[in-house]
Amino acid sequence: TEDVPLEDVHVGDLLIVRTGESVPTDGVMIDGAIEVDESMLKGESMPVEKTVGAKLTGGTLNGEGMIVMRAMRIGADTMLAKIAALVAEAQRSRAPAQSLADAAAAWFVPLVVLIALAAFAAWYVFGPEPRFNFALIAAVSVLIIACPCALGLATPMSVMVAVGRGAQMGVLVRNAVSLERLAHADTLVIDKTGTVTEGKPKLTAIRANEGVTENEVLAIAAALESASAHPLAHAIEAAAKERALQLPAVSQF
């Protein structure tokens, strides 16, 4: 077993993924059983169980256990690389508002040039001495002030920033047209947990039987879950820590 850079991995190589490590590339699991955090890919907060023969996606996180996988896709062929390419393509796409701005600029720019030439001619003919200097300053002033820089740059810059910011937050925008249409949406349908939630389970209530307090129930449950790496176990442990409970010793887990 040896550590190698990701660029030296080839299709068919056997790779070991340890606890807490991210899956290096797309492949298939050939040994072991783990639960993989695929929230970066699907938005699903709960880990997905993977056994021998299951497909693994590069960039997802191995929660617990060590596995052996076979690399099936590398480099630009991986799912993560395709997502990055999709984001880059969306940033380069043109919104309808940009086409309108370009059409306006096509008429506006020649008009500004004509006005600048007219200002130059008027100052050169009727202006005081030195006429050429005043005429040149007037023409350049018209070009600088009336230049439609914002008209041509505002839309593509806003699209690029919005798509990039969305990608950082896990929101993939297909193209600029979709982004522009979103402004007119009045209904949003979401089918995945972890999309508008924190993406992590949290203990919200405890129901204790008669003769037992909530803290006693939570302390016993947290003690048992302290040896587990499951997300629900972490939620119960976190609730016990918030209450600063003393956990009993656990044996034969």
PDB file of all heavy atoms in Angstrom, residues 98 101-102 104-106 108-109 112 142-158:
ATOM      1  N   GLN A  98     -29.285  40.072 -21.183  1.00  0.00           N
ATOM      2  CA  GLN A  98     -27.997  40.422 -21.777  1.00  0.00           C
ATOM      3  C   GLN A  98     -28.140  40.667 -23.272  1.00  0.00           C
ATOM      4  O   GLN A  98     -27.515  41.562 -23.832  1.00  0.00           O
ATOM      5  CB  GLN A  98     -26.989  39.313 -21.516  1.00  0.00           C
ATOM      6  CG  GLN A  98     -25.577  39.642 -21.980  1.00  0.00           C
ATOM      7  CD  GLN A  98     -24.585  38.568 -21.602  1.00  0.00           C
ATOM      8  OE1 GLN A  98     -24.895  37.685 -20.789  1.00  0.00           O
ATOM      9  NE2 GLN A  98     -23.399  38.618 -22.169  1.00  0.00           N
ATOM     10  N   ALA A 101     -29.523  44.043 -23.669  1.00  0.00           N
ATOM     11  CA  ALA A 101     -28.496  45.056 -23.419  1.00  0.00           C
ATOM     12  C   ALA A 101     -27.543  45.174 -24.601  1.00  0.00           C
ATOM     13  O   ALA A 101     -27.148  46.283 -24.987  1.00  0.00           O
ATOM     14  CB  ALA A 101     -27.724  44.704 -22.149  1.00  0.00           C
ATOM     15  N   ASP A 102     -27.181  44.036 -25.201  1.00  0.00           N
ATOM     16  CA  ASP A 102     -26.291  44.055 -26.368  1.00  0.00           C
ATOM     17  C   ASP A 102     -26.962  44.743 -27.549  1.00  0.00           C
ATOM     18  O   ASP A 102     -26.318  45.477 -28.316  1.00  0.00           O
ATOM     19  CB  ASP A 102     -25.889  42.634 -26.741  1.00  0.00           C
ATOM     20  CG  ASP A 102     -24.985  41.998 -25.694  1.00  0.00           C
ATOM     21  OD1 ASP A 102     -24.432  42.742 -24.868  1.00  0.00           O
ATOM     22  OD2 ASP A 102     -24.842  40.760 -25.714  1.00  0.00           O
ATOM     23  N   ALA A 104     -29.278  47.050 -27.366  1.00  0.00           N
ATOM     24  CA  ALA A 104     -29.313  48.485 -27.084  1.00  0.00           C
ATOM     25  C   ALA A 104     -27.943  49.113 -27.290  1.00  0.00           C
ATOM     26  O   ALA A 104     -27.825  50.226 -27.830  1.00  0.00           O
ATOM     27  CB  ALA A 104     -29.798  48.707 -25.652  1.00  0.00           C
ATOM     28  N   ALA A 105     -26.900  48.389 -26.869  1.00  0.00           N
ATOM     29  CA  ALA A 105     -25.547  48.913 -27.030  1.00  0.00           C
ATOM     30  C   ALA A 105     -25.168  49.043 -28.502  1.00  0.00           C
ATOM     31  O   ALA A 105     -24.396  49.932 -28.879  1.00  0.00           O
ATOM     32  CB  ALA A 105     -24.558  48.002 -26.316  1.00  0.00           C
ATOM     33  N   ALA A 106     -25.699  48.162 -29.353  1.00  0.00           N
ATOM     34  CA  ALA A 106     -25.393  48.220 -30.785  1.00  0.00           C
ATOM     35  C   ALA A 106     -25.861  49.526 -31.413  1.00  0.00           C
ATOM     36  O   ALA A 106     -25.259  50.022 -32.369  1.00  0.00           O
ATOM     37  CB  ALA A 106     -26.041  47.026 -31.496  1.00  0.00           C
ATOM     38  N   PHE A 108     -26.609  52.305 -29.280  1.00  0.00           N
ATOM     39  CA  PHE A 108     -26.162  53.380 -28.399  1.00  0.00           C
ATOM     40  C   PHE A 108     -24.729  53.803 -28.686  1.00  0.00           C
ATOM     41  O   PHE A 108     -24.415  55.000 -28.695  1.00  0.00           O
ATOM     42  CB  PHE A 108     -26.291  52.899 -26.945  1.00  0.00           C
ATOM     43  CG  PHE A 108     -26.078  53.980 -25.933  1.00  0.00           C
ATOM     44  CD1 PHE A 108     -27.058  54.930 -25.689  1.00  0.00           C
ATOM     45  CD2 PHE A 108     -24.885  54.057 -25.221  1.00  0.00           C
ATOM     46  CE1 PHE A 108     -26.858  55.924 -24.748  1.00  0.00           C
ATOM     47  CE2 PHE A 108     -24.681  55.053 -24.284  1.00  0.00           C
ATOM     48  CZ  PHE A 108     -25.673  55.985 -24.050  1.00  0.00           C
ATOM     49  N   VAL A 109     -23.847  52.836 -28.933  1.00  0.00           N
ATOM     50  CA  VAL A 109     -22.427  53.154 -29.143  1.00  0.00           C
ATOM     51  C   VAL A 109     -22.210  54.028 -30.379  1.00  0.00           C
ATOM     52  O   VAL A 109     -21.533  55.070 -30.302  1.00  0.00           O
ATOM     53  CB  VAL A 109     -21.596  51.859 -29.209  1.00  0.00           C
ATOM     54  CG1 VAL A 109     -20.160  52.162 -29.650  1.00  0.00           C
ATOM     55  CG2 VAL A 109     -21.587  51.141 -27.859  1.00  0.00           C
ATOM     56  N   VAL A 112     -23.344  57.542 -29.610  1.00  0.00           N
ATOM     57  CA  VAL A 112     -22.422  58.279 -28.730  1.00  0.00           C
ATOM     58  C   VAL A 112     -21.226  58.783 -29.525  1.00  0.00           C
ATOM     59  O   VAL A 112     -20.755  59.913 -29.330  1.00  0.00           O
ATOM     60  CB  VAL A 112     -21.962  57.378 -27.566  1.00  0.00           C
ATOM     61  CG1 VAL A 112     -20.795  58.015 -26.804  1.00  0.00           C
ATOM     62  CG2 VAL A 112     -23.117  57.102 -26.618  1.00  0.00           C
ATOM     63  N   VAL A 142     -17.383  63.331 -23.741  1.00  0.00           N
ATOM     64  CA  VAL A 142     -18.633  62.686 -24.166  1.00  0.00           C
ATOM     65  C   VAL A 142     -18.460  61.177 -24.231  1.00  0.00           C
ATOM     66  O   VAL A 142     -19.310  60.404 -23.772  1.00  0.00           O
ATOM     67  CB  VAL A 142     -19.087  63.238 -25.535  1.00  0.00           C
ATOM     68  CG1 VAL A 142     -20.253  62.414 -26.077  1.00  0.00           C
ATOM     69  CG2 VAL A 142     -19.488  64.692 -25.417  1.00  0.00           C
ATOM     70  N   LEU A 143     -17.334  60.706 -24.790  1.00  0.00           N
ATOM     71  CA  LEU A 143     -17.095  59.265 -24.915  1.00  0.00           C
ATOM     72  C   LEU A 143     -16.975  58.596 -23.538  1.00  0.00           C
ATOM     73  O   LEU A 143     -17.516  57.507 -23.306  1.00  0.00           O
ATOM     74  CB  LEU A 143     -15.830  59.017 -25.734  1.00  0.00           C
ATOM     75  CG  LEU A 143     -15.902  59.350 -27.221  1.00  0.00           C
ATOM     76  CD1 LEU A 143     -14.542  59.150 -27.874  1.00  0.00           C
ATOM     77  CD2 LEU A 143     -16.945  58.476 -27.918  1.00  0.00           C
ATOM     78  N   ILE A 144     -16.255  59.251 -22.630  1.00  0.00           N
ATOM     79  CA  ILE A 144     -16.043  58.653 -21.308  1.00  0.00           C
ATOM     80  C   ILE A 144     -17.343  58.613 -20.513  1.00  0.00           C
ATOM     81  O   ILE A 144     -17.691  57.592 -19.902  1.00  0.00           O
ATOM     82  CB  ILE A 144     -14.963  59.428 -20.540  1.00  0.00           C
ATOM     83  CG1 ILE A 144     -13.599  59.228 -21.219  1.00  0.00           C
ATOM     84  CG2 ILE A 144     -14.902  58.973 -19.081  1.00  0.00           C
ATOM     85  CD1 ILE A 144     -12.488  60.034 -20.590  1.00  0.00           C
ATOM     86  N   ILE A 145     -18.073  59.720 -20.502  1.00  0.00           N
ATOM     87  CA  ILE A 145     -19.279  59.797 -19.681  1.00  0.00           C
ATOM     88  C   ILE A 145     -20.402  58.933 -20.249  1.00  0.00           C
ATOM     89  O   ILE A 145     -21.124  58.259 -19.507  1.00  0.00           O
ATOM     90  CB  ILE A 145     -19.732  61.268 -19.568  1.00  0.00           C
ATOM     91  CG1 ILE A 145     -18.680  62.082 -18.801  1.00  0.00           C
ATOM     92  CG2 ILE A 145     -21.089  61.362 -18.866  1.00  0.00           C
ATOM     93  CD1 ILE A 145     -18.951  63.559 -18.791  1.00  0.00           C
ATOM     94  N   ALA A 146     -20.558  58.909 -21.544  1.00  0.00           N
ATOM     95  CA  ALA A 146     -21.679  58.199 -22.155  1.00  0.00           C
ATOM     96  C   ALA A 146     -21.352  56.767 -22.545  1.00  0.00           C
ATOM     97  O   ALA A 146     -22.227  56.055 -23.039  1.00  0.00           O
ATOM     98  CB  ALA A 146     -22.155  58.968 -23.393  1.00  0.00           C
ATOM     99  N   CYS A 147     -20.116  56.319 -22.332  1.00  0.00           N
ATOM    100  CA  CYS A 147     -19.751  54.948 -22.705  1.00  0.00           C
ATOM    101  C   CYS A 147     -20.621  53.946 -21.947  1.00  0.00           C
ATOM    102  O   CYS A 147     -20.688  53.988 -20.711  1.00  0.00           O
ATOM    103  CB  CYS A 147     -18.272  54.707 -22.389  1.00  0.00           C
ATOM    104  SG  CYS A 147     -17.745  53.027 -22.799  1.00  0.00           S
ATOM    105  N   PRO A 148     -21.286  53.028 -22.634  1.00  0.00           N
ATOM    106  CA  PRO A 148     -22.217  52.093 -21.982  1.00  0.00           C
ATOM    107  C   PRO A 148     -21.507  50.892 -21.355  1.00  0.00           C
ATOM    108  O   PRO A 148     -21.850  49.739 -21.627  1.00  0.00           O
ATOM    109  CB  PRO A 148     -23.122  51.669 -23.138  1.00  0.00           C
ATOM    110  CG  PRO A 148     -22.225  51.691 -24.329  1.00  0.00           C
ATOM    111  CD  PRO A 148     -21.263  52.844 -24.105  1.00  0.00           C
ATOM    112  N   CYS A 149     -20.505  51.154 -20.520  1.00  0.00           N
ATOM    113  CA  CYS A 149     -19.779  50.039 -19.882  1.00  0.00           C
ATOM    114  C   CYS A 149     -20.713  49.210 -19.008  1.00  0.00           C
ATOM    115  O   CYS A 149     -20.740  47.982 -19.084  1.00  0.00           O
ATOM    116  CB  CYS A 149     -18.633  50.584 -19.035  1.00  0.00           C
ATOM    117  SG  CYS A 149     -17.367  51.462 -19.974  1.00  0.00           S
ATOM    118  N   ALA A 150     -21.486  49.908 -18.161  1.00  0.00           N
ATOM    119  CA  ALA A 150     -22.390  49.188 -17.261  1.00  0.00           C
ATOM    120  C   ALA A 150     -23.428  48.396 -18.036  1.00  0.00           C
ATOM    121  O   ALA A 150     -23.833  47.305 -17.631  1.00  0.00           O
ATOM    122  CB  ALA A 150     -23.073  50.171 -16.324  1.00  0.00           C
ATOM    123  N   LEU A 151     -23.854  48.937 -19.175  1.00  0.00           N
ATOM    124  CA  LEU A 151     -24.870  48.266 -19.986  1.00  0.00           C
ATOM    125  C   LEU A 151     -24.373  46.911 -20.477  1.00  0.00           C
ATOM    126  O   LEU A 151     -25.119  45.938 -20.507  1.00  0.00           O
ATOM    127  CB  LEU A 151     -25.246  49.160 -21.173  1.00  0.00           C
ATOM    128  CG  LEU A 151     -26.520  48.798 -21.944  1.00  0.00           C
ATOM    129  CD1 LEU A 151     -27.729  48.930 -21.036  1.00  0.00           C
ATOM    130  CD2 LEU A 151     -26.669  49.699 -23.160  1.00  0.00           C
ATOM    131  N   GLY A 152     -23.098  46.833 -20.832  1.00  0.00           N
ATOM    132  CA  GLY A 152     -22.566  45.581 -21.359  1.00  0.00           C
ATOM    133  C   GLY A 152     -22.001  44.647 -20.316  1.00  0.00           C
ATOM    134  O   GLY A 152     -21.915  43.439 -20.534  1.00  0.00           O
ATOM    135  N   LEU A 153     -21.606  45.191 -19.137  1.00  0.00           N
ATOM    136  CA  LEU A 153     -20.926  44.371 -18.128  1.00  0.00           C
ATOM    137  C   LEU A 153     -21.824  43.934 -16.989  1.00  0.00           C
ATOM    138  O   LEU A 153     -21.566  42.907 -16.355  1.00  0.00           O
ATOM    139  CB  LEU A 153     -19.743  45.154 -17.554  1.00  0.00           C
ATOM    140  CG  LEU A 153     -18.595  45.459 -18.518  1.00  0.00           C
ATOM    141  CD1 LEU A 153     -17.537  46.291 -17.803  1.00  0.00           C
ATOM    142  CD2 LEU A 153     -17.987  44.182 -19.052  1.00  0.00           C
ATOM    143  N   ALA A 154     -22.874  44.699 -16.688  1.00  0.00           N
ATOM    144  CA  ALA A 154     -23.677  44.432 -15.494  1.00  0.00           C
ATOM    145  C   ALA A 154     -24.325  43.051 -15.533  1.00  0.00           C
ATOM    146  O   ALA A 154     -24.244  42.286 -14.564  1.00  0.00           O
ATOM    147  CB  ALA A 154     -24.739  45.516 -15.334  1.00  0.00           C
ATOM    148  N   THR A 155     -24.959  42.707 -16.657  1.00  0.00           N
ATOM    149  CA  THR A 155     -25.678  41.431 -16.727  1.00  0.00           C
ATOM    150  C   THR A 155     -24.746  40.220 -16.666  1.00  0.00           C
ATOM    151  O   THR A 155     -24.948  39.329 -15.833  1.00  0.00           O
ATOM    152  CB  THR A 155     -26.545  41.369 -17.995  1.00  0.00           C
ATOM    153  OG1 THR A 155     -27.467  42.463 -17.979  1.00  0.00           O
ATOM    154  CG2 THR A 155     -27.318  40.069 -18.063  1.00  0.00           C
ATOM    155  N   PRO A 156     -23.702  40.135 -17.522  1.00  0.00           N
ATOM    156  CA  PRO A 156     -22.835  38.955 -17.416  1.00  0.00           C
ATOM    157  C   PRO A 156     -22.115  38.857 -16.077  1.00  0.00           C
ATOM    158  O   PRO A 156     -21.899  37.749 -15.575  1.00  0.00           O
ATOM    159  CB  PRO A 156     -21.838  39.147 -18.572  1.00  0.00           C
ATOM    160  CG  PRO A 156     -21.908  40.579 -18.942  1.00  0.00           C
ATOM    161  CD  PRO A 156     -23.309  40.999 -18.644  1.00  0.00           C
ATOM    162  N   MET A 157     -21.767  40.004 -15.481  1.00  0.00           N
ATOM    163  CA  MET A 157     -21.087  39.960 -14.187  1.00  0.00           C
ATOM    164  C   MET A 157     -22.029  39.450 -13.098  1.00  0.00           C
ATOM    165  O   MET A 157     -21.638  38.632 -12.247  1.00  0.00           O
ATOM    166  CB  MET A 157     -20.563  41.352 -13.827  1.00  0.00           C
ATOM    167  CG  MET A 157     -19.743  41.377 -12.537  1.00  0.00           C
ATOM    168  SD  MET A 157     -19.057  43.021 -12.211  1.00  0.00           S
ATOM    169  CE  MET A 157     -17.920  43.176 -13.588  1.00  0.00           C
ATOM    170  N   SER A 158     -23.287  39.906 -13.114  1.00  0.00           N
ATOM    171  CA  SER A 158     -24.245  39.458 -12.104  1.00  0.00           C
ATOM    172  C   SER A 158     -24.545  37.975 -12.257  1.00  0.00           C
ATOM    173  O   SER A 158     -24.697  37.257 -11.258  1.00  0.00           O
ATOM    174  CB  SER A 158     -25.540  40.270 -12.207  1.00  0.00           C
ATOM    175  OG  SER A 158     -26.136  40.101 -13.481  1.00  0.00           O
TER     176      SER A 158
END
